[in-house]
Amino acid sequence: MIEISNLSAEKPYKYFDRFYKAAIDSKQEFIEAISIASFNEDSNEVESRYVNLKYIKKDEWIFFTNYNSPKARQFKKHDQISILFYWDKTNVQIRMKARISKSPASFSDKHFEKRSIEKNALAISSMQSQEIESHQKVEDNYKKVLNSTDKRLHRPKSWGGFSFTPYYFEFWEGRENRLNRRYIFLQRDGEWHEKYLQP
Amino acid sequence: MIEISNLSAEKPYKYFDRFYKAAIDSKQEFIEAISIASFNEDSNEVESRYVNLKYIKKDEWIFFTNYNSPKARQFKKHDQISILFYWDKTNVQIRMKARISKSPASFSDKHFEKRSIEKNALAISSMQSQEIESHQKVEDNYKKVLNSTDKRLHRPKSWGGFSFTPYYFEFWEGRENRLNRRYIFLQRDGEWHEKYLQP
């Protein structure tokens, strides 16, 4: 589930809210899973991966990760990303494009405090996406942090939130024989422009 | 389902085959859904969307689309893409990077002939991703083609396959407390190099 507060009243957010509620009603699993595609300026490569979206605050969408991870380094040089939801229970795809930046440290602290000690021990012990000799070593590092004397773990500076604000939405509804419905919202000069696309 | 033939015997393909069979055994729905992220050189934007993977022939992965669509135009200028599978029944993510190019016309013809007349009528009638005044107009165009006198529809030149060959694989297995397992295969000088990554 995504923690949604003070959702924007703009039209694409009304669409989002409607599709999101329909997915909940259809008992969609992993409703918070999004794929994030980013651009690696150094290697000239597109890269993508799944993350869990945790919050939508008004028009700001937030997930958490390691700030030294490859994706974090990519966001720093190329702050434009593409985001996808797919909810199979309702056959709805949501495509977004956005600019991304680090969330305020105070917000990351607050979220870190709410998480289980097990997840936090992993956030501290893992150098995300760095090579390691074995999975056993991952578990050893994790247990060392988990069993450390300091039971109130503190958020490491290397872990925190990323916030993105979409400037483009496509709501895609799958229909029989590929007669899919596609609604586009594009922000230009602070206004949302709407159109239909052919399937 | 993906039609797989003569699958490569290289190690990442053995991993793929094992995870794919486990997903089938777990009754994974939409097992053939992949997200494709591409780079739009003109606007300097990453874009992504879902497609259905239809074939794997040895080390060549094939899906079909409109050759005038935005993604097709993006592949032409920037032929590197990122691909994601996520199978929720087994909690497995597969990340790939690849080079992409058009499939041979004869292969696209063969696949087009196997499809239903309804799907083909849509492929002919729709200018994919072009703006249209209403969904009613989409349906009108579709019915016009479907009810045309020529019942054996011919593949339009604007529709066909894209083939990609991955040079990078990551197999990601989700585990409790984020102690996920990540296996990487990277092709360099024709050899596959293997490593483990931290979660």
Side-chain angles (χ1 to χ4, degrees):
Chain A
M1 293 283 293
I2 305 164
E3 198 176 313
I4 300 179
S5 56
N6 189 25
L7 193 67
S8 165
E10 298 285 339
K11 201 164 172 191
Y13 286 85
K14 285 185 180 142
Y15 269 61
F16 176 80
D17 197 41
R18 181 161 61 84
F19 285 119
Y20 182 67
K21 283 178 178 150
I24 291 176
D25 290 346
S26 303
K27 307 199 186 315
Q28 178 66 47
E29 291 182 288
F30 302 99
I31 200 165
E32 70 279 15
I34 53 175
S35 83
I36 300 264
S38 57
F39 192 62
N40 184 334
E41 295 259 3
D42 297 323
S43 65
N44 204 31
E45 284 172 299
V46 177
E47 302 197 2
S48 52
R49 77 289 290 158
Y50 282 90
V51 303
N52 289 321
L53 186 73
K54 291 293 178 186
Y55 299 92
I56 309 174
K57 290 155 64 82
K58 202 178 171 202
D59 59 359
E60 193 183 335
W61 307 54
I62 300 159
F63 66 91
F64 295 84
T65 190
N66 185 303
Y67 284 152
N68 297 321
S69 65
K71 60 179 163 317
R73 292 198 305 268
Q74 289 164 24
F75 300 157
K76 204 174 169 182
K77 286 198 176 178
H78 184 98
D79 70 355
Q80 184 273 332
I81 59 168
S82 175
I83 304 103
L84 288 178
F85 281 98
Y86 179 63
W87 294 323
D88 61 2
K89 296 286 189 226
T90 49
N91 201 13
V92 163
Q93 177 185 184
I94 303 178
R95 298 172 63 181
M96 294 181 274
K97 291 189 284 190
R99 300 277 165 196
I100 191 164
S101 59
K102 283 186 189 174
S103 310
S106 59
F107 190 79
S108 296
D109 287 339
K110 220 169 91 182
H111 182 70
F112 193 82
E113 280 165 23
K114 281 166 60 177
R115 302 191 346 148
S116 70
I117 192 166
E118 288 80 11
K119 277 187 188 170
N120 284 341
L122 195 273
I124 291 169
S125 68
S126 174
M127 303 280 283
Q128 197 178 37
S129 300
Q130 295 294 302
E131 193 172 350
I132 196 160
E133 55 271 40
S134 70
H135 289 294
Q136 189 55 52
K137 185 81 181 145
V138 169
E139 300 208 10
D140 292 347
N141 290 346
Y142 164 73
K143 281 180 188 148
K144 207 181 291 172
V145 173
L146 190 63
N147 299 326
S148 69
T149 50
D150 183 0
K151 284 299 176 198
R152 291 189 60 254
L153 298 172
H154 296 287
R155 178 177 74 87
K157 285 206 165 49
S158 59
W159 185 96
F162 272 104
S163 301
F164 61 85
T165 304
Y167 59 86
Y168 175 93
F169 285 88
E170 175 180 337
F171 298 94
W172 178 103
E173 289 185 276
R175 297 179 68 222
E176 216 184 339
N177 296 322
R178 309 279 163 89
L179 279 160
N180 310 322
R181 293 211 162 130
R182 302 176 65 184
Y183 314 88
I184 299 287
F185 294 91
L186 175 63
Q187 200 175 39
R188 208 182 288 134
D189 305 324
E191 296 279 324
W192 287 102
H193 298 266
E194 186 177 350
K195 55 185 181 174
Y196 301 119
L197 294 192
Q198 298 188 52
Chain B
M1 293 283 294
I2 305 163
E3 198 176 313
I4 299 178
S5 57
N6 189 26
L7 192 68
S8 166
E10 298 285 340
K11 200 163 173 191
Y13 287 85
K14 285 185 181 144
Y15 269 61
F16 175 81
D17 197 41
R18 180 161 61 84
F19 285 118
Y20 181 67
K21 281 177 179 151
I24 291 176
D25 290 346
S26 303
K27 308 202 186 313
Q28 178 66 47
E29 291 182 288
F30 301 98
I31 200 166
E32 71 279 14
I34 52 175
S35 83
I36 301 264
S38 57
F39 192 63
N40 183 334
E41 296 259 4
D42 297 323
S43 65
N44 204 31
E45 283 173 300
V46 177
E47 302 197 1
S48 53
R49 76 291 289 160
Y50 282 90
V51 304
N52 289 321
L53 185 74
K54 291 294 179 186
Y55 298 93
I56 308 173
K57 291 155 64 82
K58 201 178 171 203
D59 59 0
E60 193 183 335
W61 307 55
I62 301 159
F63 66 92
F64 295 85
T65 191
N66 185 302
Y67 283 152
N68 297 321
S69 65
K71 62 179 163 315
R73 293 198 304 270
Q74 289 164 25
F75 299 156
K76 204 174 169 182
K77 287 199 176 177
H78 185 96
D79 70 354
Q80 183 273 333
I81 60 169
S82 175
I83 305 103
L84 289 178
F85 281 98
Y86 179 64
W87 294 322
D88 60 3
K89 297 286 189 226
T90 50
N91 200 14
V92 164
Q93 176 184 185
I94 303 177
R95 299 172 62 180
M96 294 181 273
K97 292 189 282 190
R99 301 275 165 197
I100 191 164
S101 58
K102 283 186 189 174
S103 310
S106 58
F107 190 78
S108 296
D109 287 339
K110 222 169 89 183
H111 182 69
F112 193 83
E113 280 165 23
K114 281 166 60 177
R115 302 194 344 150
S116 70
I117 192 166
E118 288 80 11
K119 277 188 187 169
N120 284 340
L122 194 274
I124 291 169
S125 67
S126 173
M127 304 280 282
Q128 197 178 37
S129 301
Q130 295 294 301
E131 193 172 350
I132 196 159
E133 55 271 40
S134 69
H135 289 294
Q136 189 55 53
K137 186 80 180 146
V138 169
E139 299 207 12
D140 292 347
N141 290 347
Y142 164 72
K143 281 180 188 146
K144 207 182 288 172
V145 173
L146 190 63
N147 298 327
S148 69
T149 50
D150 183 359
K151 286 298 178 198
R152 293 189 59 253
L153 298 172
H154 296 289
R155 179 177 74 87
K157 286 204 165 50
S158 59
W159 186 96
F162 272 104
S163 301
F164 62 86
T165 304
Y167 59 85
Y168 175 94
F169 285 87
E170 174 179 337
F171 298 94
W172 178 103
E173 289 185 275
R175 297 179 71 222
E176 216 185 339
N177 296 323
R178 310 280 162 87
L179 279 161
N180 310 319
R181 292 211 163 131
R182 302 175 66 183
Y183 314 89
I184 300 286
F185 294 91
L186 175 63
Q187 200 176 40
R188 207 181 289 135
D189 305 324
E191 295 279 322
W192 286 103
H193 299 265
E194 186 177 350
K195 55 185 180 176
Y196 301 119
L197 294 192
Q198 298 188 51

